[in-house]
Amino acid sequence: MTAYLTEYEIKTSLKTLVKQYLENCKNCHQLSDEFVELIRYTLKAKYANYNEETRTIEVGVKQENENSFYDDIKTYSYSLEQAEQELGKSFNNYSGKELTYFGKFLNGQQNDINTEIRVIR
């Protein structure tokens, strides 16, 4: 099945979805699996979790280390408002075919190889 979505539809839907995920996070004090997946993909993170004590989202991003065989993981902490802004900026940087994953994500079919998303301008 093929779905046709505009860049604007995808970006707007993602921003709305992030607001819903963050509201859910405020209420239940944890990140849903789908939200973790979205954060990891968008911010190129190794992990994402909610720190209930500081009420922040912690994101671990791989940092290459030339002096070590292993890469370092740098942890960034975002308040819920900062997380919304950071993800929104990241979504704005994507265009065209790069948005295909997000179109599948919005349709709940990111792992379905039979689903095709066509991004139109």
Side-chain angles (χ1 to χ4, degrees):
M1 182 175 140
T2 303
Y4 295 90
L5 301 168
T6 66
E7 289 183 12
Y8 178 79
E9 286 175 318
I10 293 171
K11 291 177 184 180
T12 302
S13 296
L14 284 170
K15 289 175 184 176
T16 301
L17 186 61
V18 165
K19 286 181 183 188
Q20 291 171 352
Y21 283 146
L22 289 170
E23 191 61 37
N24 187 39
C25 183
K26 287 178 188 176
N27 295 332
C28 67
H29 307 291
Q30 65 181 13
L31 300 177
S32 67
D33 292 339
E34 296 86 15
F35 193 29
V36 169
E37 184 176 341
L38 184 63
I39 291 170
R40 288 184 60 201
Y41 185 87
T42 304
L43 300 179
K44 313 282 189 267
K46 289 303 223 180
Y47 71 87
N49 60 34
Y50 182 71
N51 184 329
E52 194 171 345
E53 291 176 13
T54 60
R55 301 176 113 177
T56 59
I57 296 175
E58 296 178 347
V59 178
V61 179
K62 184 169 71 170
Q63 303 286 315
E64 292 186 23
N65 184 347
E66 294 178 10
N67 299 327
S68 174
F69 181 72
Y70 299 103
D71 293 329
D72 294 331
I73 302 290
K74 178 157 173 94
T75 302
Y76 297 92
S77 292
Y78 300 102
S79 69
L80 299 181
E81 294 77 22
Q82 289 172 325
E84 181 178 353
Q85 292 172 356
E86 191 67 29
L87 289 168
K89 284 192 295 189
S90 295
F91 297 147
N92 288 335
N93 291 333
Y94 288 101
S95 63
K97 289 189 177 190
E98 294 174 320
L99 291 171
T100 301
Y101 171 82
F102 294 116
K104 283 187 166 192
F105 185 88
L106 290 168
N107 285 338
Q109 301 167 325
Q110 61 268 30
N111 297 321
D112 185 357
I113 59 172
N114 295 322
T115 300
E116 184 178 4
I117 300 293
R118 298 283 178 151
V119 179
I120 52 180
R121 292 185 178 205

